[in-house]
Amino acid sequence: MSKLFDLTGKVAVVTGAGRGLGQGLALGLAEAGADLALVVNRTAPEETLKAVEALGRKAVVVEADLSSEEGAARVSAAALEAYGKVDILVNNAGIIRRTPAAEHSYADWQEVLDVNLNSVFLLSQSLGREMVKQGSGKIINIASMLTFQGGINVPGYTASKHAVAGLTKALANEWAGRGVNVNAIAPGYMSTDNTEALRNDETRNRQILERIPSGRWGTPEDMKGPVVFLASSASDYMSGHVLCVDGGWMTR
Ligand code: NAD
């Protein structure tokens, strides 16, 4: 059974790997045997890098601003140059801008769409093309509870995460028959920098906890099992799925 989840010899690209959920995702893949391309932007990569190397896996660091087309192109080129192939792509980098819709600036809207959606398309396109050529690959996009719900004061973020699910399904339809699985993980409320403002707001924090059947915020470690599942042959017959890792939030 353990062979089903074994990623030995696989190369994985993880964006936003320097901290938060991206760090948990990268370490989960490394624990299962994968070598890594750690994509970072303005976050020191050392902590993740050391942890991957301590597991006996290889890792290269790629610095890139994924709000631009050029940044996404650089990631694909650097990963392919370092390893000669990519088996797993985890589109995790993401940003959030919390402002009511009436005051939401167009610049914020655009930046959120650039990082959370446009880079997901560009990286999936350039590395997915290579995966189709090699006849195998796994693309895992990081969605959100706001892939399903409207959220509060985050219109750009919600629009981007709904679109991530649509893109996941569109790519899955094209590539499922060509050996490439495209799926998504929708994390619930996870304790990272992205949600610090919510945890610092006593009322929101209490309301959120009251709705989570598991009774706690999620952690980067909670992402490890689900990502290894979707990156491994254990999920070969899954395509276009959005897997909730949310302590039961969506069941309430
Ligand atoms: P985080 O803020 O700790 O991490 C975000 C990562 O994205 C960082 O590593 C950052 O460097 C990277 N990033 C941001 N802008 C970038 C850019 N322009 N170019 C390249 N990289 C960039 O937050 P997180 O919670 O770890 O978020 C990771 C992903 O999970 C995001 O897509 C987020 O939307 C999603 N998510 C988080 C939660 C949660 O509760 N924390 C819930 C659902 C979905």
Side-chain angles (χ1 to χ4, degrees), residues 164-184:
V164 162
L167 179 61
T168 299
K169 292 171 194 175
L171 298 178
N173 285 345
E174 285 198 41
W175 295 338
R178 307 177 73 178
V180 180
N181 301 78
V182 187
N183 291 290

Side-chain angles (χ1 to χ4, degrees), residues 143-161:
S144 166
M145 294 298 96
L146 302 191
T147 291
F148 311 103
Q149 302 176 310
I152 301 166
N153 296 337
V154 287
Y157 185 84
T158 299
S160 73
K161 292 297 185 179

Side-chain angles (χ1 to χ4, degrees), residues 153-228:
N153 296 337
V154 287
Y157 185 84
T158 299
S160 73
K161 292 297 185 179
H162 271 65
V164 162
L167 179 61
T168 299
K169 292 171 194 175
L171 298 178
N173 285 345
E174 285 198 41
W175 295 338
R178 307 177 73 178
V180 180
N181 301 78
V182 187
N183 291 290
I185 296 174
Y189 284 76
M190 318 298 275
S191 184
T192 68
D193 291 353
N194 172 297
T195 49
E196 197 181 358
L198 298 181
R199 283 192 310 286
N200 290 342
D201 178 334
E202 218 175 289
T203 309
R204 282 296 302 280
N205 188 44
R206 180 179 41 76
Q207 289 167 342
I208 286 167
L209 280 174
E210 278 170 1
R211 191 188 150 150
I212 302 174
S214 292
R216 65 168 177 87
W217 285 74
T219 67
E221 284 70 35
D222 289 318
M223 301 296 282
K224 289 181 176 178
V227 77
V228 169

